Amino acid sequence: MTSDYDAALYGSLVAADYDAIYEGVFDTAGALGLICELATGGGVLEFGVGTGRLAIPLAEAGLDVHGVDASAEMLEILRQKPGGEQIETSLGDFAECQIDRAFSLVLLTFNTIFAMPDQAAQVRCFANAARHLEPGGRFIVEAWVPDVSAASEPTIKPRRLAKGLMGLVVSESDRVNQLLSTTQIVLGGPQRALVYPVVHRYAYPSELDLMAQLAGMRLEERFADWHRKPFTSTSTEHVSVYRKLPADSAPD
């Protein structure tokens, strides 16, 4: 693992502003519908639970939810929200954390798999998801599809944020190491300007599929969004559903 990697850094920088920045940006309703369907009433473990955008309404829908996050600040905001007290949480790195129970579904959304610093950490994350799944349980990963045409020189692009806020992303791509180093800039609101760095170790869907295979899972379904839109060669995002294989069929 990268020696200077700090799993808690992102949360410490943006926790106080996170909900305001992303209000109305996510397809939360679509995500909740598919997650509730695939969880089949069982327990849900969310890696990168953050401030509870999904965990709280999932619990309100009757699911037993446990959330893991590396950011104490994010978890404190979750606990202070109405319904947050229903969510059992653990502070830690979701590639390494150990919860003393199994779940029917493990959830990792909003490109958070790319927050892992390198391929080895991502492989450990898949393995940890599999360890926490019941036989036949599912691991859902939501992420963007890497753009092979992305320029290696620094670029600046606008991004969609909450009403009244403007986002800019200054990015530089290292195609050799599959790293996208960005500076995220949020303009507007009471803070006027918020600047924070984010580094993504991106992976192509086929690479994630191999990580799943190594962990004893297989790709069950892949969609372009939470509404089961077909995934095609032009899709820019994916929701991938992996199924834990029986122990006698898992790779050695």
Side-chain angles (χ1 to χ4, degrees):
M1 182 178 292
T2 304
S3 59
D4 59 354
Y5 173 66
D6 181 358
L9 178 62
Y10 177 79
S12 67
L13 293 173
V14 305
D17 302 284
Y18 186 85
D19 288 342
I21 293 172
Y22 292 108
E23 182 181 3
V25 172
F26 303 113
D27 181 13
T28 299
L32 293 172
L34 185 59
I35 293 165
C36 287
E37 175 189 336
L38 296 179
T40 61
V44 175
L45 175 62
E46 184 176 2
F47 288 166
V49 67
T51 63
R53 173 179 67 94
L54 294 173
I56 292 175
L58 286 172
E60 291 172 345
L63 295 175
D64 179 12
V65 182
H66 190 117
V68 177
D69 207 281
S71 168
E73 295 88 347
M74 288 280 202
L75 293 180
E76 180 58 29
I77 292 173
L78 184 157
R79 282 190 288 268
Q80 292 176 4
K81 290 182 176 181
E85 72 282 353
Q86 303 178 67
I87 312 300
E88 187 175 357
T89 61
S90 298
L91 178 66
D93 184 339
F94 44 79
E96 312 289 346
C97 66
Q98 296 185 36
I99 313 300
D100 190 23
R101 58 168 293 192
F103 299 82
S104 65
L105 189 145
V106 177
L107 184 62
L108 184 58
T109 66
F110 191 42
N111 315 311
T112 308
I113 184 62
F114 298 160
M116 312 305 294
D118 50 40
Q119 186 186 65
Q122 291 170 344
V123 169
R124 287 196 301 274
C125 182
F126 269 78
N128 201 30
R131 277 193 295 270
H132 285 91
L133 283 174
E134 299 168 349
R138 294 178 169 97
F139 180 34
I140 300 179
V141 177
E142 177 195 20
W144 44 268
V145 178
D147 181 2
V148 295
S149 65
S152 57
E153 295 299 317
T155 61
I156 183 167
K157 293 182 179 180
R159 66 181 307 204
R160 180 180 172 225
L161 295 178
K163 184 178 180 180
L165 298 177
M166 182 176 72
L168 297 174
V169 181
V170 182
S171 60
E172 187 171 3
S173 179
D174 175 355
R175 297 187 203 175
V176 173
N177 295 299
Q178 293 178 208
L179 292 175
L180 184 67
S181 301
T182 68
T183 300
Q184 312 276 341
I185 305 168
V186 180
L187 302 174
Q191 295 240 16
R192 296 297 180 186
L194 175 65
V195 180
Y196 55 94
V198 177
V199 177
H200 285 102
R201 192 280 164 180
Y202 58 85
Y204 296 89
S206 58
E207 185 180 359
L208 298 178
D209 295 349
L210 181 56
M211 294 180 193
Q213 182 180 341
L214 293 172
M217 298 183 286
R218 64 173 174 81
L219 179 67
E220 182 177 55
E221 299 177 288
R222 173 170 288 134
F223 310 112
D225 61 19
W226 290 104
H227 299 274
R228 297 181 180 268
K229 180 180 178 181
F231 181 80
T232 70
S233 60
T234 60
S235 298
T236 58
E237 298 178 352
H238 65 97
V239 175
S240 297
V241 182
Y242 298 99
R243 196 78 180 261
K244 185 174 181 178
L245 298 169
D248 57 1
S249 63
D252 295 332

